[in-house]
Amino acid sequence: MKHILIMGGDGYLGWPTAMYFSNKGYKVTVADNYLRRNESKRLNCLPLYEVPDLEERSKIWYEKTGYEIKVIIGDLTSPDIIRNIFNGKVQYNWAIDKNFSGLPETVVHYAEQPSAPYSMIDYVHSNFTIQNNLLVTNNLMYSVRDLSPETHIIKLGSMGEYGTPNIDIEEGWIDIEHKGRKNRFLYPRQGGSIYHTTKIMDTDLLWFGVRMWNLKVTDLMQGPVYGIETEESKIDNRLRTLFNYDEIYGTVINRFITEAVTGYPLTVYGKGGQTRGFLNIKDTLQCIYKAESSPAKSGELRIFNQFMETLSVNEIADKVKFVGNKLGFNVIIKSIKNPRKESEEHYYNPVHQGLINLGVEPHYLTDDVLTEMFKVVEEYKGNVNKDIIMKNIRW
Amino acid sequence: MKHILIMGGDGYLGWPTAMYFSNKGYKVTVADNYLRRNESKRLNCLPLYEVPDLEERSKIWYEKTGYEIKVIIGDLTSPDIIRNIFNGKVQYNWAIDKNFSGLPETVVHYAEQPSAPYSMIDYVHSNFTIQNNLLVTNNLMYSVRDLSPETHIIKLGSMGEYGTPNIDIEEGWIDIEHKGRKNRFLYPRQGGSIYHTTKIMDTDLLWFGVRMWNLKVTDLMQGPVYGIETEESKIDNRLRTLFNYDEIYGTVINRFITEAVTGYPLTVYGKGGQTRGFLNIKDTLQCIYKAESSPAKSGELRIFNQFMETLSVNEIADKVKFVGNKLGFNVIIKSIKNPRKESEEHYYNPVHQGLINLGVEPHYLTDDVLTEMFKVVEEYKGNVNKDIIMKNIRW
């Protein structure tokens, strides 16, 4: 029975990932410090519906399936807390069997401050994002180096690390010929927020660890994710992942659907030509699973671009409007002054073949998928607080 | 009268830089938290001779020249301390005129944990280096953005950010043609230590600030520096900069000379083919001055490669041996097992034209320069503790 550790197991992706692997028979441990949960309270941007905390969710999962997901609540920026997960001194906050689960074959590292706008609020939130994200990554890297060198690290990067360059975006690496000589380099990166910059720095760090200590690392350059339900959450509504619709924590498609359901105009930033690579949350799970099943080799930093289709903000707004109107909502699209400093019209041609080659079967943003999302959001329509959709964070 | 703020003003380069600008009639403020001073005590690697603390040195400087260098002792990882330097709430720890000096036209940012081996001791020192170096840079960036947007930031980078690629190293930027399209990018970077990786991250951060907020930034990719005396330190021996000869804080040329003087075999790491770009401390001062005099433009990240000649470790050892023997020392060269993981034979062809174009007149590592250094080290020969030369830090 393989053991997988999910760092950031309380998050939008963390909890569905934990259930997914548990359901496939993996031994699963989750760790989280409830950062996002606490910060979304403090910043007054609560999710669309309440979700039980990790300990409760694991208990519900166990009652429904008989599978145990061990829970650790702690701040992974503290080296001791993360090292204890590898040296056996860990105390689980929830578990059926309180004994040490042993070294994980794989760690999925989601444990970061995940919001670009959050990182741009002011210098306090900028400092916090840098410190939080880099210390967790570094603590993980050193723990694996010192205590579990065979462990495969799967780190969530971001397509936003690349920015929107005028050349094709390769999967992590580029061969450069210059003045008659050649070298392979990490593909050049320039992020659009402090958050994205910390993702670049994570890559800098792990690339160092791979070169120095032959770590096994997969870095997944993920695009914005949409979706709510996964196969496992259908067992019980209380197992649904959190869903944000505000400017700070809500990704664009999730936000647009909530806006459409509540009669709030879809907030297109500027010209709306911003193009990104998107994926369904179900595909995140598939991608992590495929990356886990065929790990990076010792001394390899393997990079995949993790998205299934590229769409512009205008295309998304049109799709949401079309489906929304069909469902009887009166959907209006409204361009607002772009709070970000970014290209609103640009070349964008990123490669994304590696995960497909590993067997991932893409979902796309179809009318059916949108309809399913509309239905869930409609259930909770009464919870939406329109005042928190825009928070006026400027770049 | 131009005002310059030197962050890290107690360091090997910081103090000579402060005197240099003071001597040229600049209004100078220095800030430091004595990190290196305290850590070199804690780690038992004291400099070759004692140097008075910043407050004492500024007092001596004032007594000898009539010029005031205002002193702030504080930890610049704290946002408040650094913002107070820009908003006028600062309390000087030493000054003749205690009134606020006003906004600086230029900030020279040396305020970092400066040692590669230090960053490699263990996870505690690695975390510390990341946190310290990035928070100071970020606090500076936000302070300038929020409180003094016209200020020119001169940040000390490192040639070590580039590593030793198989293609020529340009000055910070490279034009890439790929599948028929073109884009200009930051030259690819991959550092050889956690310390060097934080230097890469500094560049990531400041490049973000330049793109978002039109900051004016010069990033100086400096090679290892050698030397002791500068024009200003000749006024009084107590004004000499600190000089380390140990593995943690001593750069290679300074270390080799101390080894030669004390009959310790010159510690060549592995094959000794490691080639780097070197410069005299006097040239550091010239380079900073020239960069200060013709600042980067608004929205420009200007990058110069700051070194005057490339030398391999073996070439340096031979030069030190030659001069040492001529001066009557019995100099032995000994290859030791390389504590670092690095290429010991490699292509190395970095451009370094930008600073020369600004008028810098290079010094080289001549026999005369080495002889002058030997003389100073010999004065303090009795202070050398051979046991601390090698500290057995492994990569």
Side-chain angles (χ1 to χ4, degrees):
Chain A
M1 208 194 219
K2 263 174 136 181
H3 178 203
I4 189 167
L5 167 66
I6 319 273
M7 293 176 18
D10 192 48
Y12 175 58
L13 303 175
W15 176 246
T17 305
M19 292 192 294
Y20 184 88
F21 279 94
S22 182
N23 206 30
K24 285 194 180 292
Y26 283 68
K27 198 156 65 171
V28 179
T29 305
V30 291
D32 207 293
N33 65 343
Y34 291 143
L35 171 68
R36 175 165 171 170
R37 213 175 256 273
N38 295 331
E39 286 299 272
S40 70
K41 268 183 215 143
R42 187 179 68 84
L43 294 165
N44 186 26
C45 46
L46 289 175
L48 185 61
Y49 45 81
E50 246 182 280
V51 293
D53 68 24
L54 255 187
E55 291 143 283
E56 291 173 69
R57 295 206 273 193
S58 287
K59 217 172 135 192
I60 297 165
W61 177 250
Y62 180 71
E63 285 163 7
K64 296 282 171 181
T65 66
Y67 294 129
E68 179 200 39
I69 295 176
K70 286 186 159 82
V71 176
I72 300 160
I73 303 301
D75 183 351
L76 304 174
T77 64
S78 154
D80 288 339
I81 289 179
I82 192 161
R83 293 175 85 84
N84 284 351
I85 306 177
F86 290 88
N87 65 22
K89 291 186 194 153
V90 61
Q91 300 279 326
Y92 299 105
N93 293 72
W94 188 88
I96 297 297
D97 173 2
K98 295 274 186 182
N99 292 310
F100 180 48
S101 273
L103 294 176
E105 275 83 7
T106 306
V107 179
V108 180
H109 171 21
Y110 293 122
E112 304 212 333
Q113 189 299 100
S115 160
Y118 180 101
S119 73
M120 300 303 294
I121 294 174
D122 60 13
Y123 66 91
V124 175
H125 295 81
S126 172
N127 273 355
F128 177 82
T129 303
I130 292 169
Q131 192 161 342
N132 184 76
N133 293 3
L134 292 177
L135 291 186
V136 176
T137 301
N138 205 44
N139 285 336
L140 171 62
M141 182 165 85
Y142 272 83
S143 297
V144 167
R145 181 193 84 147
D146 296 340
L147 305 168
S148 190
E150 293 306 315
T151 292
H152 176 212
I153 297 174
I154 299 178
K155 201 267 291 175
L156 261 282
S158 166
M159 285 298 294
E161 293 179 43
Y162 300 122
T164 52
N166 191 41
I167 62 172
D168 288 7
I169 296 174
E170 303 299 329
E171 295 205 73
W173 302 94
I174 189 167
D175 293 304
I176 297 179
E177 188 171 342
H178 183 60
K179 297 182 179 169
R181 302 180 64 91
K182 283 181 192 175
N183 204 112
R184 187 164 209 231
F185 292 102
L186 277 175
Y187 190 95
R189 284 155 164 77
Q190 47 188 12
S193 73
I194 291 290
Y195 158 76
H196 289 102
T197 305
T198 65
K199 289 289 185 183
I200 295 172
M201 294 169 172
D202 277 340
T203 308
D204 293 336
L205 260 187
L206 288 168
W207 175 221
F208 177 74
V210 164
R211 281 179 290 129
M212 292 298 134
W213 309 311
N214 291 313
L215 304 183
K216 306 171 181 174
V217 179
T218 298
D219 202 351
L220 298 172
M221 303 290 123
Q222 189 175 245
V225 183
Y226 60 87
I228 308 173
E229 294 280 22
T230 61
E231 286 313 308
E232 295 74 25
S233 72
K234 287 184 180 159
I235 298 171
D236 189 308
N237 278 355
R238 294 171 298 167
L239 296 174
R240 269 187 190 150
T241 193
L242 53 83
F243 182 93
N244 286 91
Y245 56 91
D246 64 281
E247 180 187 349
I248 296 179
Y249 291 114
T251 50
V252 57
I253 298 175
N254 292 358
R255 199 166 69 231
F256 278 3
I257 289 173
T258 312
E259 290 169 346
V261 166
T262 55
Y264 194 99
L266 308 194
T267 46
V268 169
Y269 295 170
K271 293 182 189 161
Q274 301 92 323
T275 302
R276 300 289 184 271
F278 290 86
L279 76 166
N280 193 306
I281 190 168
K282 292 174 184 166
D283 290 341
T284 297
L285 304 185
Q286 272 195 75
C287 291
I288 301 281
Y289 178 65
K290 292 296 183 187
E292 199 285 331
S293 305
S294 52
K297 288 189 272 296
S298 181
E300 183 189 13
L301 173 61
R302 179 177 62 164
I303 303 176
F304 295 127
N305 293 344
Q306 182 163 312
F307 66 92
M308 299 302 145
E309 60 192 318
T310 57
L311 296 163
S312 74
V313 171
N314 287 331
E315 285 168 333
I316 293 167
D318 288 343
K319 277 175 188 280
V320 169
K321 183 178 172 160
F322 177 78
V323 172
N325 286 344
K326 225 170 53 176
L327 294 171
F329 299 102
N330 178 24
V331 184
I332 302 156
I333 297 171
K334 190 179 163 194
S335 164
I336 62 170
K337 188 175 173 341
N338 195 340
R340 307 187 179 203
K341 187 160 174 181
E342 62 185 2
S343 301
E344 296 173 2
E345 287 169 322
H346 56 87
Y347 181 75
Y348 201 62
N349 191 26
V351 170
H352 60 121
Q353 195 54 47
L355 287 160
I356 305 294
N357 290 348
L358 286 183
V360 169
E361 290 171 13
H363 295 79
Y364 297 103
L365 188 65
T366 60
D367 293 357
D368 286 350
V369 166
L370 282 167
T371 302
E372 195 197 75
M373 289 180 68
F374 264 93
K375 294 260 159 81
V376 178
V377 174
E378 203 183 357
E379 273 181 58
Y380 300 102
K381 189 178 168 181
N383 291 352
V384 175
N385 177 357
K386 290 190 205 173
D387 294 343
I388 70 165
I389 292 178
M390 292 310 295
K391 310 281 285 185
N392 291 311
I393 298 165
R394 305 234 164 277
W395 256 232
Chain B
M1 206 195 221
K2 263 174 135 179
H3 178 204
I4 188 166
L5 167 66
I6 320 271
M7 294 179 14
D10 193 48
Y12 175 58
L13 302 175
W15 176 246
T17 305
M19 292 193 293
Y20 184 89
F21 279 94
S22 182
N23 206 31
K24 286 194 180 291
Y26 283 69
K27 198 155 65 169
V28 179
T29 305
V30 291
D32 207 293
N33 65 343
Y34 292 143
L35 171 67
R36 175 166 171 169
R37 215 176 255 273
N38 294 332
E39 286 298 272
S40 70
K41 268 184 215 141
R42 187 179 68 84
L43 294 165
N44 186 26
C45 45
L46 289 175
L48 184 62
Y49 45 83
E50 247 184 277
V51 294
D53 69 25
L54 255 187
E55 292 144 282
E56 291 172 69
R57 294 206 273 194
S58 287
K59 217 173 136 191
I60 297 164
W61 177 251
Y62 181 71
E63 285 164 8
K64 295 284 171 180
T65 66
Y67 294 130
E68 179 200 40
I69 295 175
K70 286 186 159 83
V71 176
I72 300 159
I73 303 300
D75 183 351
L76 304 174
T77 63
S78 155
D80 288 340
I81 290 180
I82 192 160
R83 294 175 84 85
N84 284 351
I85 306 178
F86 290 88
N87 65 20
K89 291 186 194 152
V90 62
Q91 300 280 325
Y92 299 105
N93 293 71
W94 188 88
I96 297 297
D97 173 3
K98 297 275 187 181
N99 291 312
F100 180 48
S101 272
L103 294 176
E105 275 83 7
T106 307
V107 179
V108 180
H109 170 22
Y110 293 123
E112 304 212 335
Q113 189 299 100
S115 160
Y118 180 102
S119 73
M120 300 303 293
I121 294 175
D122 59 14
Y123 66 91
V124 174
H125 295 82
S126 172
N127 273 356
F128 177 81
T129 303
I130 291 170
Q131 192 162 343
N132 184 76
N133 293 2
L134 293 177
L135 291 186
V136 176
T137 300
N138 204 45
N139 284 335
L140 171 63
M141 181 165 87
Y142 272 83
S143 297
V144 167
R145 181 193 83 147
D146 296 341
L147 306 167
S148 190
E150 294 305 316
T151 293
H152 176 212
I153 297 173
I154 300 178
K155 200 266 291 176
L156 262 282
S158 167
M159 285 298 293
E161 293 180 42
Y162 300 123
T164 52
N166 191 43
I167 63 172
D168 288 7
I169 296 173
E170 303 299 328
E171 296 205 75
W173 301 93
I174 190 167
D175 293 306
I176 297 179
E177 188 170 341
H178 183 62
K179 297 182 178 169
R181 302 179 64 91
K182 283 181 193 174
N183 204 111
R184 186 165 209 231
F185 292 102
L186 278 175
Y187 190 95
R189 284 156 164 78
Q190 47 187 14
S193 73
I194 291 289
Y195 158 77
H196 288 102
T197 305
T198 65
K199 290 289 184 183
I200 295 172
M201 294 170 172
D202 276 341
T203 308
D204 292 336
L205 261 187
L206 288 167
W207 174 221
F208 177 75
V210 164
R211 281 179 291 131
M212 292 298 134
W213 308 312
N214 291 314
L215 303 183
K216 305 170 182 176
V217 179
T218 299
D219 202 352
L220 299 172
M221 303 291 123
Q222 189 174 243
V225 182
Y226 59 87
I228 308 173
E229 294 280 22
T230 61
E231 286 313 309
E232 296 74 26
S233 71
K234 287 183 179 157
I235 298 171
D236 188 307
N237 277 354
R238 293 172 300 168
L239 297 173
R240 271 189 189 147
T241 193
L242 55 84
F243 183 93
N244 286 91
Y245 57 91
D246 64 281
E247 180 187 350
I248 296 179
Y249 291 114
T251 49
V252 57
I253 297 174
N254 293 357
R255 199 167 67 231
F256 278 3
I257 289 173
T258 311
E259 290 170 345
V261 166
T262 54
Y264 194 99
L266 308 193
T267 46
V268 169
Y269 294 169
K271 292 183 189 159
Q274 301 92 323
T275 302
R276 300 289 184 269
F278 290 86
L279 77 166
N280 193 307
I281 190 168
K282 293 174 184 168
D283 290 341
T284 297
L285 304 184
Q286 273 196 76
C287 291
I288 300 280
Y289 178 65
K290 292 296 182 188
E292 198 285 331
S293 305
S294 52
K297 289 190 272 295
S298 181
E300 183 189 13
L301 172 61
R302 180 177 61 163
I303 303 176
F304 295 127
N305 293 344
Q306 182 162 310
F307 66 91
M308 299 303 144
E309 60 191 317
T310 57
L311 296 163
S312 74
V313 171
N314 286 330
E315 285 169 332
I316 294 166
D318 288 343
K319 278 176 187 278
V320 169
K321 182 178 173 161
F322 177 79
V323 172
N325 285 344
K326 224 169 53 178
L327 294 172
F329 299 102
N330 178 24
V331 184
I332 301 156
I333 297 172
K334 189 179 162 193
S335 164
I336 62 171
K337 189 177 174 334
N338 196 340
R340 308 187 177 201
K341 186 161 175 180
E342 63 185 0
S343 300
E344 295 173 2
E345 287 168 323
H346 56 86
Y347 182 74
Y348 200 62
N349 190 28
V351 170
H352 59 122
Q353 195 55 46
L355 288 159
I356 305 294
N357 290 348
L358 286 183
V360 169
E361 291 171 13
H363 295 78
Y364 297 103
L365 189 65
T366 60
D367 293 356
D368 285 351
V369 166
L370 281 167
T371 302
E372 195 196 76
M373 289 180 68
F374 264 93
K375 294 261 160 80
V376 178
V377 174
E378 202 183 357
E379 272 181 58
Y380 300 102
K381 189 179 167 179
N383 291 352
V384 175
N385 178 358
K386 290 191 205 173
D387 294 343
I388 70 166
I389 292 178
M390 291 310 294
K391 309 282 283 186
N392 291 311
I393 298 165
R394 304 236 164 277
W395 257 230

